[in-house]
Amino acid sequence: MSKADFFEGVRNGTPVFLSAAPFGALFGAIAVANGQTIAEAVLMSMTIFAGASQLVGIELFGQNIAPWVIVLSIFAVNFRHILYSAAMAPFVRHFTAVEKFFAFFVLTDPQFAETLRRGEAGRKVSFSWYIGFALVIYIPWQVMTALGGVFGQLIGDPKVIGIDVLLPIYFMALVLGFRKRPNFLSVVAISGAVSVIAYHTVGSPWHVSIGALAGMALAAVLPVKRAPAARDTAQEG
Amino acid sequence: MGAFFHADMIAIILAGAVATFLTRIGGYWLVMRMKTIPPRLEAALNAVPAAVLTTLVAPAFFTGGPDVQVAMAAALIASLRFSVLPMLAIGWCAVMLMRYAFGV
């Protein structure tokens, strides 16, 4: 471990921690408002550590949906990490197996973006730097989840203080973060329309999978555009 | 708030954690074995986040009351200029205004 690299990672990760911290608290508050205990919310933050998918999971817990659909939805929202870890491969190949395990466990959108930027700039992506960057996001994420959970416990009905609209708005912001991708508007239009129709016909758990599949199918049959390596603008923990 | 943990919740969380870890390590694993991803598969994979997340937004809008719809519309307009946190703040103000000032 190089101390200098570690603290450089910590410094690089600090802005991310500052922007992600409110989402950790938001997650904790919403999780508890939706019936999770604080311990469960923190366990979820510690083991999944991916804000958007944690909020999706919470949203589905509240709807009495089959467990495998919840797990599949978490998987679907996190699917982008497959592309991240593929693109990062050249820069983390030199990690030992144990280092790779921890490195991928804490892989997030900003971690990916910064690792790629550092690697492509020709600087060495050392494990010390990588884990410094990760820990300054990971540890506060747990603390903020717990604090948010305590706050959520004090509120009974989320509607009273208006936090029920935060989740759909947050998801809308995430959707918009992908607007530079090819066929974005067509995918959103078809997934949106199909999910609303499915919601009213097939019923609640299924509209998510059906709508998502419709959007993916459309993207697969539309003419393939050479995407410039568009950087998504989504920001989350 | 009785128990700290519920067994079924723990099971789902841990399964979700394993699924998430698979996505995090999966691309590295694949790329070490595979030369290229077929373009149409890549296009479908590229569409995954927008497609999945839209299915959570659209029904919330169309089944929500006017309070929720106004809040989401306000946040969408806010997104033209602002990032996530101001969007949340503006949407939250809109819903509180609708509920407490206009009694919707």
Side-chain angles (χ1 to χ4, degrees):
Chain A
M1 289 288 283
S2 147
K3 225 171 173 176
D5 276 13
F6 179 84
F7 284 107
E8 190 186 351
V10 169
R11 269 199 312 281
N12 293 160
T14 301
V16 180
F17 140 63
L18 291 175
S19 57
F23 291 106
L26 179 70
F27 167 74
I30 292 178
V32 169
N34 278 281
Q36 272 197 340
T37 65
I38 295 173
E40 287 165 348
V42 173
L43 179 75
M44 203 170 173
S45 276
M46 288 179 72
T47 58
I48 297 183
F49 186 51
S53 68
Q54 289 178 227
L55 287 165
V56 170
I58 290 300
E59 171 77 7
L60 299 178
F61 283 139
Q63 298 183 26
N64 201 20
I65 286 176
W68 69 268
V69 177
I70 301 178
V71 174
L72 189 68
S73 303
I74 292 172
F75 181 78
V77 176
N78 285 326
F79 204 89
R80 64 188 191 285
H81 292 111
I82 289 190
L83 302 172
Y84 293 172
S85 64
M88 272 167 55
F91 305 116
V92 297
R93 287 184 79 148
H94 64 279
F95 289 5
T96 66
V98 175
E99 285 172 351
K100 274 179 199 146
F101 176 87
F102 285 110
F104 286 120
F105 183 78
V106 295
L107 174 59
T108 54
D109 305 74
Q111 184 89 44
F112 163 71
E114 287 298 320
T115 300
L116 213 66
R117 180 148 60 200
R118 190 179 173 88
E120 284 176 351
R123 305 190 60 192
K124 187 175 181 335
V125 177
S126 66
F127 182 72
S128 304
W129 173 84
Y130 187 103
I131 211 70
F133 189 97
L135 284 179
V136 79
I137 306 169
Y138 184 86
I139 294 169
W141 185 252
Q142 317 309 333
V143 175
M144 294 309 286
T145 299
L147 288 178
V150 171
F151 176 71
Q153 222 169 29
L154 303 175
I155 317 154
D157 179 5
K159 278 195 164 186
V160 174
I161 59 155
I163 62 172
D164 57 310
V165 294
L166 297 183
L167 212 44
I169 290 174
Y170 175 65
F171 291 139
M172 186 163 74
L174 286 184
V175 171
L176 293 169
F178 296 104
R179 64 181 172 271
K180 297 215 177 91
R181 293 216 175 164
N183 305 318
F184 171 77
L185 281 180
S186 338
V187 168
V188 165
I190 203 81
S191 290
V194 171
S195 68
V196 170
I197 295 166
Y199 185 88
H200 288 292
T201 53
V202 188
S204 177
W206 299 105
H207 68 282
V208 175
S209 329
I210 295 172
L213 282 174
M216 290 173 66
L218 180 77
V221 299
L222 283 173
V224 176
K225 295 174 195 159
R226 267 290 116 229
R231 175 142 320 150
D232 297 317
T233 51
Q235 47 159 293
E236 48 103 14
Chain B
M1 287 296 145
F4 281 131
F5 291 110
H6 304 91
D8 49 346
M9 185 68 87
I10 299 303
I12 296 175
I13 290 172
L14 294 183
V18 170
T20 301
F21 186 69
L22 291 179
T23 68
R24 284 182 164 136
I25 203 151
Y28 183 83
W29 187 85
L30 275 177
V31 87
M32 286 294 154
R33 271 153 197 79
M34 186 172 168
K35 288 290 165 276
T36 51
I37 302 174
R40 293 206 180 276
L41 175 61
E42 194 181 348
L45 295 182
N46 252 319
V48 166
V52 174
L53 293 164
T54 299
T55 67
L56 297 172
V57 177
F61 180 83
F62 287 104
T63 62
D67 50 347
V68 172
Q69 292 181 341
V70 165
M72 290 179 74
L76 182 62
I77 293 165
S79 76
L80 298 175
R81 288 195 71 90
F82 301 112
S83 66
V84 188
L85 286 177
M87 279 176 71
L88 288 169
I90 289 166
W92 180 81
C93 289
V95 87
M96 292 301 271
L97 207 64
M98 289 294 284
R99 281 178 192 162
Y100 292 99
F102 301 109
V104 176

